[in-house]
Amino acid sequence: MLSETRQIEIEEVIGLLKDFRPTKIALEAVEGLQGALNEGYQDFLSGQYILGVNEIEQIGYRLAKDCSLPAVHAVDWNEDEEDVPEMSDLSTAENGKYYDAAMQIGQEITSDMEAFFKEHTYRELLLWLNAPEQVAKGHEIYMKMALAGGDEHPAGALWTAKYWYYRNLLIYKNLIKLIESDEERIFVLYGAGHLHLLGQFLKESNLVEVEVAHEYLS
């Protein structure tokens, strides 16, 4: 990501995303890191911080700067909850084959992504990750994981409902909290696995109009 070629490609992506005219930028960082997140952003604005490889910095910070935004926003939640099985326990649970199938899909996505990126630009990678078939494949992982476990202890369903769906619902809630006027345009940068649920929650809320990446990157 820090090579000269990739940096030029990222500049191209930032230029295209600016057309969205964001008023706020929401990032995959837990709310407790809001202060540190913006300290880093302010240091970047003043030239005291060199960006790392993370997309929060390469895309989030750079887009916020180019749009003259005063801050960025941490909207993630990721904590341990009571009665939620450890993800690692799903592999040894009854019907653990579904967990194995989910992990296989994850490995396939990672391998396909790495192979694709070797031959394509960063803009093309983002379009690939945001394509409907890739979003559906990413969500399939969690639908498989939900089946791990037995009738007496449906560990996979507990993990999927009480951690994965709960986490995404809280992210959705945090995104809605950012809306301060009808003119708000919130740019959301998140891991691809979240796309299905966040898109669903936002669209079905009937509170916002959802625009997707290919509308700006194509």
Side-chain angles (χ1 to χ4, degrees), residues 58-218:
Q58 288 291 329
I59 300 297
Y61 280 9
R62 290 169 72 161
L63 182 59
K65 179 182 179 181
D66 279 17
C67 294
S68 301
L69 299 181
V72 293
H73 300 272
V75 295
D76 199 18
W77 174 92
N78 199 356
E79 298 179 13
D80 293 330
E81 286 288 291
E82 291 184 11
D83 303 324
V84 177
E86 293 292 332
M87 186 176 175
S88 58
D89 293 341
L90 303 186
S91 62
T92 57
E94 187 177 346
N95 293 315
K97 63 182 180 181
Y98 291 110
Y99 173 84
D100 295 337
M103 294 301 99
Q104 180 63 36
I105 295 170
Q107 291 170 5
E108 290 173 2
I109 292 174
T110 299
S111 297
D112 290 347
M113 180 183 68
E114 291 174 350
F116 184 90
F117 198 26
K118 287 180 181 178
E119 305 296 330
H120 295 81
T121 67
Y122 190 58
R123 179 184 67 84
E124 291 169 330
L125 174 67
L126 293 178
L127 284 169
W128 184 85
L129 286 168
N130 282 270
E133 59 270 25
Q134 291 300 328
V135 175
K137 191 172 184 180
H139 186 61
E140 183 184 345
I141 292 173
Y142 301 98
M143 295 299 90
K144 292 285 197 299
M145 287 177 62
L147 298 174
D151 293 339
E152 294 297 321
H153 184 57
L158 286 169
W159 186 90
T160 304
K162 299 182 102 176
Y163 169 72
W164 185 245
Y165 268 72
Y166 184 57
R167 178 183 176 189
N168 281 278
L169 281 167
L170 290 182
I171 296 165
Y172 154 70
K173 186 173 182 289
N174 289 335
L175 291 173
I176 297 299
K177 284 195 303 183
L178 291 178
I179 301 172
E180 294 182 314
S181 78
D182 291 340
E183 305 303 314
E184 205 81 80
R185 298 179 64 82
I186 300 172
F187 175 83
V188 183
L189 180 66
Y190 247 82
H194 295 268
L195 285 173
H196 177 88
L197 288 183
L198 291 182
Q200 175 191 341
F201 297 156
L202 290 165
K203 290 172 185 176
E204 293 179 355
S205 74
N206 202 30
L207 293 170
V208 298
E209 178 182 348
V210 176
E211 296 183 349
V212 294
H214 77 258
E215 297 177 35
Y216 294 88
L217 297 177
S218 295

